[in-house]
Each structure stands twice: as structure tokens, then as C-alpha cells.
């Protein structure tokens, strides 16, 4: 099965769809059974049987099948948010007294969740590379968590090398693959045990849903589905699952368009005198560019630049000067967005991730690249000494 067929047709021609061009949305909160015995059997296998919305649902199940196939995984479990998927996944793998290694910069709320787990006796250590992993690993370490490209800095991790290191030491590896989507990168094929995504970003693609997913082998997904998914209650709604399915239909078309526009904007910024650095793995100047080309088939349009300033005021003025980029969180939709961690992220989290004051994150949407470049140029000219 190729990715385009998975996104567009997998599971959509089955009898239950009744020939509908859009798969039906099952809105019911529960399912009934012909006998008490059948109900009991279904409840014991609620990760696969339709019993109650909080377990699973045919519309959600179709989205899960597509996402598992795209990532080349056995099973997927969709959640009501990306953090729902991340928190349930981490919780399913650790217990009191365990230790988590976090490699590189990761999504801020993920760090906040790991700090939250400290009150239950789960500790964690942030490290920058494998050499530091060797020093930081403990007898109680159970999990290695990372993103590639990494959060805000967009550093590229050698996935095969990192997962081999983890496997040799008996650690489960979990990777956030939201940046690339399964269209451009398939971490499970490089040794990662579990992959998580925020479906709110490129996969949904239209800034109209919040969702998350974890993909991996049944031996890890089934206990998570029966326990953390059920108990935490972060269930995906069938309406959001339908939006995921529709977003997947255009994902193979949208991602190359995002790549083209993102690279054009990054190339412009890389030559601008008011910009210290551009963190985009698709640029030949990026230190991880060659590695990225080996393990990825393309690049998304989320990246960061570092303004030539140490002033939060000037960073804020740059954002305010933009007219086409909208100021806001999240990314991956049609519209181009801008955000600055120094203005919004908890100081301790920013310090842990090594994010400088002048760092600005851009999500390049699907508008014409020349429009976005003009907007950025004018905004840079209007910021005091950055002009």
C-alpha cells in the first residue's frame, strides 16, 4: 500500500460505509448487544470492540487504521488531544521510582507533564546527545523520549543510532513525529518503539480540530488502550475523527506545497542581515541537513529564526509589524502563523530547552511565498536597529 492510497481509500470501500463518498460519522455514545454474554466479551476486549464512545467507535477506528498504516505500525490509538496521547503513552510505560531520559528539546507541555510526574515518584533528565545519555542513564531508566527535528531548535536526531542505543539498554523509545508527518518520515521503520503525533497540526491541516495519536506494536498499544486511554478519558470524538480522515485525503498533496513555500521563506531569511540564524533542516547550511536527507523524504514548513536582538520588546514589535502572518499558537494549517517563546513560554522551560530570547517560530502556510517574504521583510525593517 502506498501513502496516497492509505490516505484516500484505505477502509473507505467496506460494506459498512454503504457506498458513501465520505465515511459515516457514528454519533452514538454506546452500542447494544444481543445477549449478556456478548456484552461481557465485548467489554473484556473494549480496545477493539464497540461498547462505549470512551473506548472506541467505527469512525475513530477508521482514522486509527489509516494512521497505523501510514506509520507502518501494527496499531494506533487516537486521543482527544496531542497531550492526551503523550501523557497516556508516557504513563503507560513508567511507574513510581522509574526514570525517563529526554533527548534534545521537546514540546514544552511534555516537559511540564514530566515535571508533574515527579510527585508520583517518576524522575527525568534532559540530555543533549548520546554521550550525555551514557552519563545520565540509571538502573531505573525505562524510557527514552525525543523529537526529530527537535522542538523550536529543529535539530535532527540520528533515529537509527538513538533507537539502537536504547534497545541495547532495554529502554522503550518514544518519538514525536508531528513535524514531519508520516508522509516525510517513518520512525517505526528506523527502530522507534512508539510514535506520537498532534493531529491538530498538518494531519488535520485546517486548524479545526484538536487530537492526538500513538502508533506502534500491539503489545504496547493494547495495554495503553485498555488502561490509560480509558481512565484518563481523553477520547477522540467521531466528529474529530471524521476531520482527521478528511485531512488525510489531502495530506500527500499539502505537504509538498508546505515544503516549497517553507523553504522559499527560509532561504530569504537566511540571507537577511537582521537574522542571526535560521533553523530549518531543509537548508544546506543546517548542521543536520545531510542526516535529514537520509532519514526523511521531505521537509515541513515549521521552523525558527533568531533575530539579532536580546530585547523581548523588539521581538514583540517584530510580531506586531507582521500583517500577513497571524500571531498565535499551533501550526500546520492553511494560514501562516508566528509565535515567540520568549513572550509566551515559561522561563524555566525555555531555559531547559536552550531557547534564546530572539527566537521566533514561523509556520508557513499555503499562501504565496512572495506574499509571505514581503511581509517578513517589511516587519524586519520596522524594528529599530534590526532595520
Amino acid at each position: 500500500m502506498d501513502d496516497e492510497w492509505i490516505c484516500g481509500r484505505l477502509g473507505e470501500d467496506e460494506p459498512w460505509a454503504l457506498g458513501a463518498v465520505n465515511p459515516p460519522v457514528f454519533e452514538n455514545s454506546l452500542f447494544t448487544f444481543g445477549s449478556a454474554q456478548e456484552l461481557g466479551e465485548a467489554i473484556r476486549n473494549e480496545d477493539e470492540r464497540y461498547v462505549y464512545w470512551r473506548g472506541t467507535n467505527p469512525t475513530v477506528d477508521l482514522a486509527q487504521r489509516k494512521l497505523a498504516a501510514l506509520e507502518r505500525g501494527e496499531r494506533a490509538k487516537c486521543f482527544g488531544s496531542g497531550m492526551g496521547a503523550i501523557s497516556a503513552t508516557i504513563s503507560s510505560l513508567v511507574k513510581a521510582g522509574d526514570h525517563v531520559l529526554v533527548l534534545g528539546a521537546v514540546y514544552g507541555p511534555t516537559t511540564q507533564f514530566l515535571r508533574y510526574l515527579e510527585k508520583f515518584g517518576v524522575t527525568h533528565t534532559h540530555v543533549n546527545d548520546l554521550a550525555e545519555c551514557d552519563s545520565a542513564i540509571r538502573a531505573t531508566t525505562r524510557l527514552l523520549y525525543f523529537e526529530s527535528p527537535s522542538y523550536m531548535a529543529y535539530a535532527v536526531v540520528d533515529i537509527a543510532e538513538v533507537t539502537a542505543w536504547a534497545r541495547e539498554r532495554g529502554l522503550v523509545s518514544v518519538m514525536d513525529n508531528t513535524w514531519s508527518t508520516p508522509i516525510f518520515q517513518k520512525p517505526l521503520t528506523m527502530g522507534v518503539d512508539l510514535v506520537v503525533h498532534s493531529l491538530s497540526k498538518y494531519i488535520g491541516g485546517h486548524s479545526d480540530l484538536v487530537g492526538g495519536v500513538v502508533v506502534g506494536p500491539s503489545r504496547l498499544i493494547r495495554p495503553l488502550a485498555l488502561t490509560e486511554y480509558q481512565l484518563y478519558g481523553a477520547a477522540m470524538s467521531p466528529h474529530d475523527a471524521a476531520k482527521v480522515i478528511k485531512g488525510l485525503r489531502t495530506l500527500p498533496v499539502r505537504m509538498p506545497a508546505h515544503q516549497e513555500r517553507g523553504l522559499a521563506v527560509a532561504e530569504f531569511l537566511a540571507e537577511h542581515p537582521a537574522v542571526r540564524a535560521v533553523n530549518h533542516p531543509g537548508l544546506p547550511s543546517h548542521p543536520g541537513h545531510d542526516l535529514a536527507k537520509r532519514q526523511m523524504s521531505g521537509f515541513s514548513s515549521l521552523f525558527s529564526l533568531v533575530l539579532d536582538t536580546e530585547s523581548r520588546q523588539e521581538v514583540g514589535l517584530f510580531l506586531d509589524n507582521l500583517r500577513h502572518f497571524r500571531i498565535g499558537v499551533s501550526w500546520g494549517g492553511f494560514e501562516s502563523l508566528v509565535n515567540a517563546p520568549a513572550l509566551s513560554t515559561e522561563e524555566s522551560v525555555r531555559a531547559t530547552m536552550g531557547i534564546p530570547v530572539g527566537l521566533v517560530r514561523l509556520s508557513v502556510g499555503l499562501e504565496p511565498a512572495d506574499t509571505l517574504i514581503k511581509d517578513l521583510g517589511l516587519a524586519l525593517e520596522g524594528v529599530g536597529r534590526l532595520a
Side-chain angles (χ1 to χ4, degrees), residues 26-89:
F26 284 77
E27 298 183 277
N28 48 297
S29 62
L30 61 92
F31 296 80
T32 59
F33 299 86
S35 70
Q37 180 180 354
E38 187 180 357
L39 171 61
E41 291 174 354
I43 289 176
R44 285 190 291 274
N45 295 282
E46 199 170 349
D47 61 316
E48 296 180 328
R49 296 288 299 276
Y50 307 131
V51 178
Y52 185 62
W53 183 337
R54 186 161 55 90
T56 192
N57 165 288
T59 312
V60 177
D61 190 48
L62 177 56
Q64 292 173 166
R65 290 171 57 196
K66 286 176 176 286
L67 291 164
L70 267 181
E71 280 284 10
R72 306 301 189 262
E74 289 181 358
R75 289 187 64 181
K77 195 64 185 171
C78 285
F79 289 76
S81 71
M83 274 310 300
I86 291 168
S87 59
T89 298

Side-chain angles (χ1 to χ4, degrees), residues 149-150 153-157 278-292 299 303-304:
S150 66
Y154 306 104
V156 180
V157 174
V278 176
N279 303 312
H280 190 311
L283 294 177
S285 58
H286 189 283
H289 179 68
D290 291 339
L291 173 59
F299 305 97
F303 63 95
S304 62

Side-chain angles (χ1 to χ4, degrees), residues 259-301:
Q259 174 179 241
E260 177 186 359
R261 290 156 176 78
L263 280 171
V265 171
E267 288 165 357
F268 162 76
L269 291 168
E271 299 298 323
H272 200 286
V275 176
R276 290 181 185 171
V278 176
N279 303 312
H280 190 311
L283 294 177
S285 58
H286 189 283
H289 179 68
D290 291 339
L291 173 59
K293 288 198 301 182
R294 292 199 300 272
Q295 62 189 24
M296 298 162 62
S297 60
F299 305 97
S300 76
S301 60

Side-chain angles (χ1 to χ4, degrees), residues 322-333:
L322 290 164
R323 292 292 175 264
H324 202 87
F325 280 83
R326 303 183 189 184
I327 301 173
V329 300
S330 198
W331 40 274

Side-chain angles (χ1 to χ4, degrees), residues 6-333:
I6 292 168
C7 288
R9 294 294 294 275
L10 176 66
E12 298 191 19
D13 297 326
E14 295 179 2
W16 65 271
L18 301 176
V21 67
N22 292 316
V25 179
F26 284 77
E27 298 183 277
N28 48 297
S29 62
L30 61 92
F31 296 80
T32 59
F33 299 86
S35 70
Q37 180 180 354
E38 187 180 357
L39 171 61
E41 291 174 354
I43 289 176
R44 285 190 291 274
N45 295 282
E46 199 170 349
D47 61 316
E48 296 180 328
R49 296 288 299 276
Y50 307 131
V51 178
Y52 185 62
W53 183 337
R54 186 161 55 90
T56 192
N57 165 288
T59 312
V60 177
D61 190 48
L62 177 56
Q64 292 173 166
R65 290 171 57 196
K66 286 176 176 286
L67 291 164
L70 267 181
E71 280 284 10
R72 306 301 189 262
E74 289 181 358
R75 289 187 64 181
K77 195 64 185 171
C78 285
F79 289 76
S81 71
M83 274 310 300
I86 291 168
S87 59
T89 298
I90 294 174
S91 297
S92 74
L93 298 169
V94 297
K95 64 183 184 306
D98 284 348
H99 175 252
V100 177
L101 274 177
V102 182
L103 175 62
V106 299
Y107 182 44
T110 302
T111 298
Q112 292 172 332
F113 177 71
L114 288 166
R115 289 178 176 174
Y116 172 79
L117 287 181
E118 290 175 358
K119 73 177 185 177
F120 300 107
V122 177
T123 58
H124 68 281
T125 304
H126 279 272
V127 293
N128 295 310
D129 52 37
L130 276 183
E132 290 186 12
C133 283
D134 282 326
S135 301
I137 192 171
R138 307 174 186 175
T140 56
T141 305
R142 299 288 177 263
L143 168 64
L144 176 68
Y145 188 99
F146 67 104
E147 299 182 16
S148 184
S150 66
Y151 180 65
M152 291 293 180
Y154 306 104
V156 180
V157 174
D158 189 325
I159 297 173
E161 180 183 29
V162 165
T163 56
W165 180 92
R167 192 163 48 250
E168 288 170 1
R169 290 155 180 80
L171 309 185
V172 176
S173 57
V174 178
M175 179 183 149
D176 188 327
N177 193 35
T178 307
W179 190 92
S180 298
T181 82
I183 298 297
F184 285 158
Q185 184 168 250
K186 301 186 189 299
L188 295 178
T189 67
M190 291 178 268
V192 171
D193 292 309
L194 290 170
V195 170
V196 293
H197 287 270
S198 168
L199 300 174
S200 318
K201 311 305 192 285
Y202 290 116
I203 289 177
H206 297 87
S207 301
D208 61 355
L209 76 95
V210 173
V213 70
V214 55
V215 187
S218 294
R219 64 180 176 83
L220 295 176
I221 298 294
R222 187 167 195 267
L224 183 159
L226 288 170
T227 307
E228 284 77 16
Y229 183 86
Q230 292 274 8
L231 296 179
Y232 286 8
M236 170 168 278
S237 78
H239 291 281
D240 282 339
K243 290 178 181 179
V244 171
I245 292 166
K246 289 181 180 179
L248 285 171
R249 287 180 169 183
T250 60
L251 186 65
V253 178
R254 286 186 286 109
M255 291 311 297
H258 277 294
Q259 174 179 241
E260 177 186 359
R261 290 156 176 78
L263 280 171
V265 171
E267 288 165 357
F268 162 76
L269 291 168
E271 299 298 323
H272 200 286
V275 176
R276 290 181 185 171
V278 176
N279 303 312
H280 190 311
L283 294 177
S285 58
H286 189 283
H289 179 68
D290 291 339
L291 173 59
K293 288 198 301 182
R294 292 199 300 272
Q295 62 189 24
M296 298 162 62
S297 60
F299 305 97
S300 76
S301 60
L302 183 76
F303 63 95
S304 62
L305 63 137
V306 181
L307 297 173
D308 187 20
T309 183
E310 300 299 328
S311 166
R312 287 180 174 81
Q313 183 178 2
E314 288 187 335
V315 173
L317 182 58
F318 170 67
L319 267 63
D320 291 343
N321 283 344
L322 290 164
R323 292 292 175 264
H324 202 87
F325 280 83
R326 303 183 189 184
I327 301 173
V329 300
S330 198
W331 40 274

Side-chain angles (χ1 to χ4, degrees), residues 343-365:
L343 306 179
S344 58
T345 303
E346 181 184 331
E347 182 69 22
S348 60
V349 173
R350 191 173 62 81
T352 298
M353 298 301 153
I355 297 172
V357 170
L359 187 140
V360 173
R361 187 182 74 181
L362 296 180
S363 171
V364 175

